[in-house]
Amino acid sequence: MTSSLGHALLGLLARTPGTGYDLTQRMSRPVGYFWSAAHSQIYPELARLESAGLVRHEIIEGAGPRPTKRYELTELGRRELTEWVTSAAEPARERDPLMLRVYSLWLAEPAAATDLINQVRQGHVRRREEYAEMAATLEAGGTDRQGLAEPGFAAYATLRAGLGYEEHRIVWCDWLLDRLRENPGSAN
Amino acid sequence: MTSSLGHALLGLLARTPGTGYDLTQRMSRPVGYFWSAAHSQIYPELARLESAGLVRHEIIEGAGPRPTKRYELTELGRRELTEWVTSAAEPARERDPLMLRVYSLWLAEPAAATDLINQVRQGHVRRREEYAEMAATLEAGGTDRQGLAEPGFAAYATLRAGLGYEEHRIVWCDWLLDRLRENPGSAN
DNA sequence: ATCACCATGTAAGCTGTTACATGATTAA
DNA sequence: TTAATCATGTAACAGCTTACATGGTGAT
């Protein structure tokens, strides 16, 4: 009955306990590459996880008008996460806004289409560099050679997937740009 | 102000007019690879597009208790779609449920992890074959050599992206499976 | 003083999924 | 006659985004 967001939060807390604010930050940078959430979604979800007995909190000192809560996994939460992680994967329904555009790209001026794809390509190159740097850092620290049972390896595996994704997209952009150059006009 | 689903429907109607039921079918197979929607979402969206003047309908004979409506684009709808297609692409927030699992894969038994990744790999291989067949059909018909201004080429371009995606995922699965074989135990 | 950062929440609205509801035509 | 296909809608709910609301600490 726990949602994807719930499992994302459990996955973060299994590594290090933290406040809702802290989880919001962590959701945006490393995890945000494959799952994202705003704080307005995270706070109520933490409350739900707590009432399900999967996490618990203690009050610590911190800045702010309301008490600062530090959350951590319970044994039940750890068990739930562990069971979920290898349970049958639901068929991912894709939602790719770029492909939605490309599907109607035949309506656009060739120059505008080229601009669009160039812009998209740039974004992928930027992100590839970002991933490559992170991967290099992890590799320098030996994280890539960590055992399967260590969290660092799991993070490295998602990074590798991200790198592969960006590379495939860049290759595809180059293919399309080639076609747009060869055949800049209208019909065959 | 038009949503992604709205643009998906406009993109379908720009190719061929059709009923809501027909659009539901077309959303599931070729377009569903990168965008999906149920009929319960499509019917109200068509009504919204119509009240915005982007599509119009005529009543035709058909089976069913209610009148059968055939929708088509208006000139305004075509213009809206054409402008949108090359407008600034919003940064896609990724939502990849598999990576969410992988991020917590360090908690799983190595055997269970291997099973999961094998299962995922199989799914990608199946889909790659599906795409490859469709691509072969289009190539045999010369669709891949169509001009940029023809809808067939746009469809072919999305197919190529799909093929590339599946391939990259298979490569990544193989990399992970290799690691799981090499290092089936716990910590380093 | 002003700004950035820490910190937690609620509310309104949109998008998307699942379930409910109806009924005609055609083929096995 | 039974099932599949054509055909259109509504309702309830879950998930996610954007905006509203508050206020303390520390650095410039």
Side-chain angles (χ1 to χ4, degrees), chain B:
Chain B
M1 286 292 119
T2 307
S3 66
S4 287
L5 174 60
H7 289 119
L9 295 174
L10 294 178
L12 283 167
L13 291 174
R15 290 154 182 260
T16 326
T19 66
Y21 182 87
D22 175 44
L23 291 168
T24 304
Q25 312 301 111
R26 290 161 70 193
M27 277 296 280
S28 85
R29 230 211 351 178
V31 173
Y33 291 128
F34 49 85
W35 205 269
S36 60
H39 79 275
S40 57
Q41 207 187 351
I42 289 173
Y43 287 111
E45 183 65 29
L46 283 170
R48 238 171 288 139
L49 292 173
E50 183 150 50
S51 71
L54 304 176
V55 305
R56 86 181 124 235
H57 79 265
E58 48 170 351
I59 308 291
I60 56 168
E61 317 92 84
R66 270 171 289 274
T68 295
K69 300 175 183 174
R70 194 183 115 109
Y71 284 90
E72 59 183 359
L73 273 198
T74 61
E75 255 318 298
L76 187 64
R78 202 186 163 89
R79 229 181 308 142
E80 156 64 26
L81 181 61
T82 304
E83 268 158 46
W84 166 79
V85 80
T86 53
S87 64
E90 65 285 340
R93 49 195 186 289
E94 310 289 345
R95 269 182 207 291
D96 187 335
L98 176 63
M99 287 308 131
L100 209 51
R101 278 163 200 271
V102 171
Y103 190 67
S104 295
L105 202 60
W106 57 283
L107 290 162
E109 297 293 323
T114 302
D115 284 355
L116 174 73
I117 303 303
N118 267 320
Q119 184 205 313
V120 167
R121 188 187 189 281
Q122 253 179 62
H124 287 301
V125 168
R126 238 179 276 127
R127 191 153 268 203
R128 182 185 56 181
E129 302 315 325
E130 216 174 313
Y131 288 164
E133 268 175 53
M134 289 173 69
T137 307
L138 293 187
E139 282 158 13
T143 307
D144 58 317
R145 276 167 285 115
Q146 276 188 5
L148 170 65
E150 285 178 273
F153 182 75
Y156 181 71
T158 64
L159 235 189
R160 289 276 301 212
L163 258 169
Y165 175 75
E166 301 305 330
E167 248 141 47
H168 121 71
R169 280 286 190 143
I170 293 166
V171 168
W172 176 82
C173 284
D174 287 338
W175 169 81
L176 223 198
L177 288 167
D178 253 26
R179 287 305 184 95
L180 292 176
R181 252 189 306 271
E182 270 174 35
N183 189 357
S186 42
N188 171 19

Side-chain angles (χ1 to χ4, degrees), chain A residues 103-176:
Chain A
Y103 191 67
S104 295
L105 203 59
W106 57 284
L107 289 163
E109 297 293 325
T114 303
D115 284 355
L116 174 73
I117 303 303
N118 267 321
Q119 184 205 313
V120 167
R121 189 187 188 281
Q122 251 180 62
H124 287 302
V125 168
R126 236 178 277 127
R127 191 154 267 203
R128 182 186 55 182
E129 301 317 325
E130 214 175 315
Y131 288 163
E133 268 176 53
M134 290 174 69
T137 307
L138 293 187
E139 281 158 15
T143 308
D144 59 316
R145 275 166 286 113
Q146 275 189 5
L148 169 66
E150 286 177 272
F153 182 76
Y156 181 71
T158 63
L159 234 190
R160 291 275 303 210
L163 258 169
Y165 176 75
E166 302 305 331
E167 248 142 46
H168 121 71
R169 280 285 191 143
I170 292 165
V171 167
W172 176 83
C173 284
D174 287 338
W175 169 82
L176 223 198

